[in-house]
Amino acid sequence: MIRTKVVSKRIRNTKIYGFCIVLCAFFSINLQAQVKATIDSTSIKIGEQITYKINVEADSTDMVIFPEGQSFSPLEMIESYAIDTIRKKNKFNLIKNYGLTQFDSGRYTIPSQKVLISDKIFATDSIQVTVRTIEVDTTKQGLYDIKPLLKVEKASNNRWIYILLIIAILAVVAGLIYWFVWRRKPLTEEERVALLPPYDRAKLALKQLDERTYLENSQIKEYYSDLTMALRRYLDEKVYDHALESTTEQLIFRLNLLREGNKISLNKQTLSNIESILKRADLVKFAKVAPDVELAKMDRSTIDLEIDHVKESLPEPTEEEKLMNEQYRLAQIKKDKQRKIVVSSLIVVAALLLTFVGFGLKYGFGYVADKLTGNNSLQLLEGEWVKSAYGVPPVFISTPEVLERVESKTTDSSEIASQVIFGYGNITSPIDIAVSTTKVSDKDTTAVDLEKVAEFKLRFLEKNGVKNIIAKNEKFTTPNAQEGLKVFGTADFPTINEGVTEPGEYAILSFNAANVVQEVLLIWKDNDRYADEIMQRIINSIELKKPE
């Protein structure tokens, strides 16, 4: 009896345990049923897009994180769509679509995708896809040559504004120089008189003396001062070049010597008249003698006549003297022209210096000098940058110039299935930019170790002549939250001169998704003052997918 009860109890416990196991299995199956993946087609043509859909049923309080990045390899994700949400009573049905494609024919398996729901990870089933080739009937479809590359003109910028501003400033400076230096200014009365021949100036001085009211106002001293000055100035220019500062006795003594030496043919009466008037003028100026007005008028007439006699007594200039006078005139013209050129040059130099100093104080003298000399790095920094995508999957990056496709030199490794490289410059250039997308051999399905990728790249640099490499690494996150590895440091890079190196810096930014590695290699030299800003701007622009 007791044995029967024990057996019965064991049977009942066994049923309870079995029921619990079945119940757990049911809930497990039910939980797995919350995540489901489907595709709209299992057979596509090369390059055709399929839609991969993940359907998640979760509570309203659950946090759901869908897979991102290139986790669908060997297929390539070309677009990630926004999440659609459908409410079903107290649950939510979340639908996430991805656009996938493949450019090689064959049978491929989309790997299981992991979805995080709260603190639990759920996996979808793997799905097989067939990619078919496109049959081309060459008998019906003509073949054509590849079209040549077209040169794309850069968009216009505001450079023409600066050109017009410079032209306007130069025009203003040129106008000022012409107006104040080269323009033939109207002559003043004194300048017109100064250009007259000595004889005409003497006659004009006497005429102006008649127009003044010295005698009417009993200004005898002023009258005789102007009268004798007209005579002395004429004698100073034509007869004796110290007539103005000589006393009356000295001047008459010199005139007598010239007459006796047959230098001038003045008669004694002319000399006597000149001496008499000069002495009377001395008495008026120094002894305050006041001659009669009529005598003063007579002295004026006498001086007028004696000036004519002095002119007649002077010998005619020889041909040699005429030639010397002409040469002197031409020399004066040339001297005046040279003076104007010097003044103009000084004004231009002063304007340029003031402009340079002004801009230098505002923007920095080094920047202004580089702007004037056309520094290549400065032109790259301030030029129109290009944002483009390189490789598949694409790397979006902004650069001063469009990167050109270059031949890969590292595809000889058995671990590399294919590699595409785009670059600007080279290892000897002041700035070197390279973007590469590398597909690792399909037999290696594990995630690529980015540190090993960086070591491989550093060995590649050593093989190309880079020495004294110092490396540091840190985690790097792009502006659109894609994580990777940044290896950076200093090194001595080769130059165009064999055996000569120069110090510089480098940065290697690596990202991976399954068996695809995306790299950005930047190299710049220490002697380039704008390279740091250029490279930082490039690094800040890196994105691994187009923002939604």
Side-chain angles (χ1 to χ4, degrees), residues 76 141 178 332 355:
E76 298 171 4
Q141 176 65 45
Y178 168 77
Q332 290 298 109
T355 303

Side-chain angles (χ1 to χ4, degrees), residues 59-211:
D59 291 334
S60 59
T61 59
D62 290 337
M63 181 181 68
V64 180
I65 299 178
F66 289 91
E68 290 292 346
Q70 298 296 337
S71 62
F72 302 91
S73 181
L75 269 70
E76 298 171 4
M77 186 188 75
I78 56 178
E79 191 163 3
S80 175
Y81 299 95
I83 299 173
D84 293 330
T85 305
I86 301 175
R87 186 181 182 92
K88 290 184 178 181
K89 295 182 179 180
N90 62 335
K91 289 186 176 291
F92 284 102
N93 189 18
L94 306 178
I95 302 172
K96 175 71 173 180
N97 291 326
Y98 301 88
L100 308 181
T101 190
Q102 175 57 254
F103 297 96
D104 291 326
S105 61
R107 294 179 63 84
Y108 298 93
T109 299
I110 302 176
S112 174
Q113 301 297 310
K114 296 179 180 179
V115 179
L116 179 65
I117 302 178
S118 294
D119 58 347
K120 296 181 181 180
I121 297 178
F122 297 85
T124 66
D125 294 331
S126 60
I127 303 176
Q128 284 194 342
V129 178
T130 301
V131 180
R132 310 187 309 274
T133 58
I134 301 174
E135 299 293 336
V136 179
D137 188 352
T138 57
T139 62
K140 296 180 180 180
Q141 176 65 45
L143 300 178
Y144 304 95
D145 292 334
I146 298 175
K147 291 184 178 181
L149 295 175
L150 297 178
K151 184 177 181 181
V152 179
E153 297 293 337
K154 285 187 175 183
S156 60
N157 50 35
N158 296 329
R159 184 175 299 176
W160 62 273
I161 297 178
Y162 297 102
I163 295 176
L164 290 178
L165 181 61
I166 292 173
I167 292 175
I169 293 175
L170 292 176
V172 170
V173 173
L176 293 175
I177 291 174
Y178 168 77
W179 183 262
F180 291 104
V181 180
W182 291 91
R183 180 176 63 95
R184 296 186 66 179
K185 307 175 186 65
L187 298 176
T188 63
E189 183 66 23
E190 292 77 8
E191 290 172 334
R192 283 197 296 269
V193 171
L195 291 175
L196 293 174
Y199 175 79
D200 293 337
R201 285 206 304 275
K203 289 292 186 177
L204 179 61
L206 295 178
K207 182 179 178 182
Q208 292 173 344
L209 181 63
D210 294 338
E211 295 172 355

